[in-house]
Amino acid sequence: MKSIKVVTFFFFFLLCVMPAMAEEPLNYEIESAGSGTQGTYLVKVWVISKKNKPDLNVIQKCAVHGVLFRGFSNKELRSAQKPLAGSALAEQTHLDFFTAFFKDNGPYRNYVTMVSPTYEIIKMAKKQYRIGATFTVQKDQLRKDLTDAGVLKGLNSGF
């Protein structure tokens, strides 16, 4: 009887863990593309892909993910923007929320707009491409909505 419980627990554990393991981690770089309008960031995102056809959803997801968890810099102005969430630890702390937030065609798309409908595609190696696009990310609205959802701390909360 005890072995049946252990096997059942192990089976359910695998069902919960396998989908998270199957999702490929985002392989991208993010940098400043200049100054956006007030309340926005203008960023350029480079996605490393095996296909030479850009996937708009993946690149948009990387733009929002980068603003939230990685931050970015502007090499010409030697300035940097810290991640809105503070660190990648916030993603692990609120994993359920961000899994739903970043699902395909998820809520993240409400905060990102492509500036120009053109992509830069650079062949790096055999079957490896670097695909770049420029986006506007609505940082103020993103921060407000995530603060209201209890995922991020408000700017006026104590340290």
Side-chain angles (χ1 to χ4, degrees):
M1 187 68 174
K2 185 176 181 181
S3 63
I4 292 173
K5 288 181 181 180
V6 170
V7 170
T8 305
F9 174 77
F10 183 73
F11 178 75
F12 283 115
F13 176 76
L14 285 178
L15 283 177
C16 294
V17 172
M18 290 306 282
M21 290 173 55
E23 189 172 319
E24 192 173 311
L26 299 173
N27 187 5
Y28 69 94
E29 299 169 10
I30 185 169
E31 61 189 38
S32 174
S35 59
T37 59
Q38 186 169 350
T40 67
Y41 286 140
L42 189 62
V43 295
K44 183 150 198 171
V45 179
W46 295 95
V47 175
I48 310 302
S49 175
K50 293 178 183 176
K51 300 176 185 176
N52 66 348
K53 293 196 176 211
D55 184 351
L56 180 60
N57 289 328
V58 171
I59 300 174
Q60 286 178 328
K61 188 182 296 186
C62 291
V64 175
H65 189 272
V67 166
L68 279 172
F69 303 114
R70 289 190 183 178
F72 55 92
S73 62
N74 186 332
K75 294 176 184 168
E76 289 89 31
L77 299 176
R78 296 182 185 206
S79 62
Q81 291 295 330
K82 293 183 179 181
L84 283 182
S87 71
L89 186 59
E91 184 177 16
Q92 298 303 319
T93 305
H94 301 283
L95 189 60
D96 293 338
F97 177 84
F98 286 116
T99 300
F101 185 78
F102 285 115
K103 72 179 179 185
D104 289 342
N105 296 319
Y108 71 90
R109 295 187 70 200
N110 297 329
Y111 305 99
V112 63
T113 307
M114 191 169 186
V115 172
S116 171
T118 59
Y119 298 94
E120 293 181 49
I121 302 173
I122 301 169
K123 187 170 185 174
M124 295 174 52
K126 187 177 182 180
K127 294 200 175 197
Q128 189 174 28
Y129 299 89
R130 188 174 188 230
I131 302 169
T134 304
F135 295 96
T136 300
V137 179
Q138 299 174 9
K139 65 167 178 133
D140 287 352
Q141 188 64 43
L142 180 61
R143 175 182 285 284
K144 179 187 178 305
D145 291 348
L146 293 181
T147 302
D148 291 347
V151 176
L152 298 181
K153 291 181 182 177
L155 292 175
N156 58 357
S157 66
F159 288 92

